[in-house]
Amino acid sequence: MKNNETEITGDLYNLLLNPATRDWERSLLRAAKTGIDNGANFDDQIAKLEAELRPLALRNNLTPDVTDFYLRITDDPAAGNSFDLSVHYQEDGPYQARAIFAGGCFWCMVEPFETRPGIIAVISGYTGGHMDNPTYEQVAGGYTGHVEAVEIIFDTRVWYYKELVELYWQLTDPTDEFGQIADRGSNYRPVIFVANEVQQAIAELSKQDLAESGKYKNPIVTKIEPATTFWPAENFHQQFYQKNPKRYKKLKRSRQQFLAFQRMQTKLRLGFKRLRNKNRTH
């Protein structure tokens, strides 16, 4: 085990105090820590804990912070380092601004923005709800009113806000108000959260242009709402595409296939429409 005893013991203590830890997870963690505190062999206690957590870990059914802990004690490469959230709490520089978009699972909303020049940071989180410091389980359960979203900090010398909104439309289905593609539920609803009147005017005009473009048969239902507190998600969710590339690729492929099929339908529909109009003029 590469992690030292002091770090793991500290992790156990922090998880016991973490309000997001489930009661049954906490009971297993407490038993391991108590055993270590009482002089039991450290490696034996951690190995026992790993075995007890393994069935749920294999089914991706541990809470995010406990998942990170499990990956660390099993020396899984996906564990990685803690994501640096300091940029989220800093004031924006003279050439920095922020955009907040909700478009289904935030796992699939990071890489399309973060890998482009001029994007300073993309943070996964929760916003638009009525509760402070929400956890993933609370948001996923629909208890807080939040949606999964990404906060994009960008260089205004490279990007106009309008361009980010246009990229957002390409990544989502703006006709689906009950989720996005395979992600169902109010916590996955599509929303553009605007920070000021300028962003609101740009987003509203872009939405109107999209509605008038004829690209979609159904109404554009993506909401445009004032930005509220953005709560960064647990470390496990940050830069998911880097930590879990195989799982991310499957999700990305499924999403791209749906959007590609939707675009193909649009081309066919608009093509038939042009053909009908042409025949009417002859």
Side-chain angles (χ1 to χ4, degrees), residues 4-73:
N4 64 49
E5 294 186 18
T6 302
E7 290 177 345
I8 293 180
T9 302
D11 289 340
L12 285 171
Y13 179 76
N14 290 331
L15 287 171
L16 288 172
L17 298 178
N18 190 332
T21 302
R22 295 190 191 120
D23 289 342
W24 64 267
E25 291 173 325
R26 188 175 285 108
S27 66
L28 297 178
L29 297 166
R30 183 181 292 112
K33 186 175 185 302
T34 299
I36 294 169
D37 291 343
N38 291 337
N41 181 273
F42 177 84
D43 289 339
D44 289 345
Q45 290 298 306
I46 297 302
K48 179 183 177 183
L49 176 60
E50 186 276 325
E52 291 171 329
L53 294 174
R54 189 186 311 149
L56 280 302
L58 294 175
R59 296 200 295 270
N60 300 306
N61 200 23
L62 297 174
T63 51
D65 290 334
V66 176
T67 297
D68 268 347
F69 173 76
Y70 180 83
L71 294 174
R72 284 195 294 273
I73 65 175

Side-chain angles (χ1 to χ4, degrees), residues 18-281:
N18 190 332
T21 302
R22 295 190 191 120
D23 289 342
W24 64 267
E25 291 173 325
R26 188 175 285 108
S27 66
L28 297 178
L29 297 166
R30 183 181 292 112
K33 186 175 185 302
T34 299
I36 294 169
D37 291 343
N38 291 337
N41 181 273
F42 177 84
D43 289 339
D44 289 345
Q45 290 298 306
I46 297 302
K48 179 183 177 183
L49 176 60
E50 186 276 325
E52 291 171 329
L53 294 174
R54 189 186 311 149
L56 280 302
L58 294 175
R59 296 200 295 270
N60 300 306
N61 200 23
L62 297 174
T63 51
D65 290 334
V66 176
T67 297
D68 268 347
F69 173 76
Y70 180 83
L71 294 174
R72 284 195 294 273
I73 65 175
T74 55
D75 294 328
D76 192 306
N81 298 318
S82 295
F83 183 78
D84 183 7
L85 288 170
S86 60
V87 66
H88 166 74
Y89 298 102
Q90 295 170 359
E91 291 188 8
D92 292 335
Y95 298 106
Q96 292 182 8
R98 305 189 186 209
I100 299 178
F101 300 129
C105 177
F106 44 30
W107 290 351
C108 294
M109 290 291 289
V110 176
E111 185 251 359
F113 290 100
E114 188 174 67
T115 53
R116 295 171 183 259
I119 300 299
I120 298 165
V122 181
I123 301 164
S124 297
Y126 316 113
T127 193
H130 50 74
M131 177 180 176
D132 292 348
N133 296 301
T135 67
Y136 176 76
E137 284 204 321
Q138 291 169 334
V139 174
Y143 309 126
T144 69
H146 291 85
V147 291
E148 293 188 15
V150 289
E151 178 185 65
I152 302 162
I153 303 175
F154 62 98
D155 188 329
T156 56
R157 294 168 297 185
V158 180
W159 287 90
Y160 292 114
Y161 179 72
K162 179 178 183 291
E163 295 173 320
L164 291 174
V165 173
E166 291 172 350
L167 176 55
Y168 167 77
W169 294 129
Q170 297 173 32
L171 302 172
T172 61
D173 176 4
T175 67
D176 186 356
E177 63 182 323
F178 300 110
Q180 282 294 287
I181 309 170
D183 307 321
R184 313 313 302 162
S186 62
N187 55 305
Y188 294 126
R189 65 187 185 274
V191 186
I192 297 175
F193 292 95
V194 293
N196 49 50
E197 292 182 357
V198 173
Q199 284 194 357
Q200 180 166 354
I202 292 172
E204 293 283 4
L205 181 58
S206 182
K207 179 179 177 179
Q208 181 180 340
D209 289 343
L210 186 65
E212 294 174 353
S213 70
K215 291 182 178 179
Y216 295 95
K217 183 178 181 180
N218 296 321
I220 306 300
V221 296
T222 299
K223 301 292 186 182
I224 298 174
E225 300 177 0
T228 57
T229 302
F230 182 92
W231 303 96
E234 297 85 344
N235 183 71
F236 173 77
H237 296 299
Q238 305 299 338
Q239 293 182 318
F240 185 85
Y241 74 98
Q242 292 185 6
K243 298 175 183 176
N244 297 270
K246 291 183 179 180
R247 190 174 175 190
Y248 171 70
K249 285 180 181 178
K250 291 181 180 179
L251 296 171
K252 180 181 179 180
R253 187 182 305 114
S254 175
R255 191 173 179 120
Q256 288 179 328
Q257 287 174 342
F258 176 90
L259 294 175
F261 178 71
Q262 191 177 59
R263 286 191 286 269
M264 182 184 70
Q265 287 182 312
T266 296
K267 289 181 179 179
L268 291 174
R269 181 168 48 80
L270 294 179
F272 286 134
K273 183 177 180 180
R274 286 192 294 269
L275 182 60
R276 286 197 302 269
N277 292 338
K278 182 179 179 179
N279 291 334
R280 288 171 183 171
T281 60

